[in-house]
Amino acid sequence: MIDDVPADGFVENEWVGRELRIGDALVLRVLAATPRCAVPTLAHGELPRQVAALRAPARLNRVAPLPQLDPQPCVGAYALVVRAGRVAQGALVEVG
């Protein structure tokens, strides 16, 4: 979890095309929003089905993850490691 990020939105949508600097060394380039499939709604081992798991993103966060795709329910973001590094709990996260 990243502190000081509003809990009432999908702020990761604003990170696409930007870099996240985490701690002293790690740098990630955010590539695209992450479309969600039905897998989170299915039972996994002893965990029961969660049929409502995608209702909020389907209603509140339909974005085109790539220009050639139609809007889809998205949560999270895909990123590329620009510079590897260790991350400690409490590390500063900067969006550049």
Side-chain angles (χ1 to χ4, degrees), residues 2-78:
I2 300 174
D3 292 338
D4 298 328
V5 173
D8 60 347
F10 297 88
V11 297
E12 65 271 24
N13 293 342
E14 304 301 318
W15 299 344
V16 175
R18 299 171 77 182
E19 289 188 345
L20 295 179
R21 287 179 215 82
I22 306 171
D24 294 332
L26 179 63
V27 179
L28 305 174
R29 182 176 308 121
V30 181
L31 303 175
T34 304
R36 293 297 161 174
C37 64
V39 171
T41 69
L42 305 175
H44 296 278
E46 294 182 18
L47 296 175
R49 292 182 65 212
Q50 296 293 325
V51 295
L54 294 179
R55 288 189 183 145
R59 189 177 77 251
L60 301 172
N61 195 46
R62 296 183 69 82
V63 298
L66 297 171
Q68 66 270 27
L69 297 177
D70 291 329
Q72 300 175 34
C74 293
V75 177
Y78 290 115

Side-chain angles (χ1 to χ4, degrees), residues 71-94:
Q72 300 175 34
C74 293
V75 177
Y78 290 115
L80 173 74
V81 176
V82 174
R83 187 175 64 226
R86 294 182 65 95
V87 176
Q89 183 174 353
L92 180 65
V93 178
E94 297 178 85

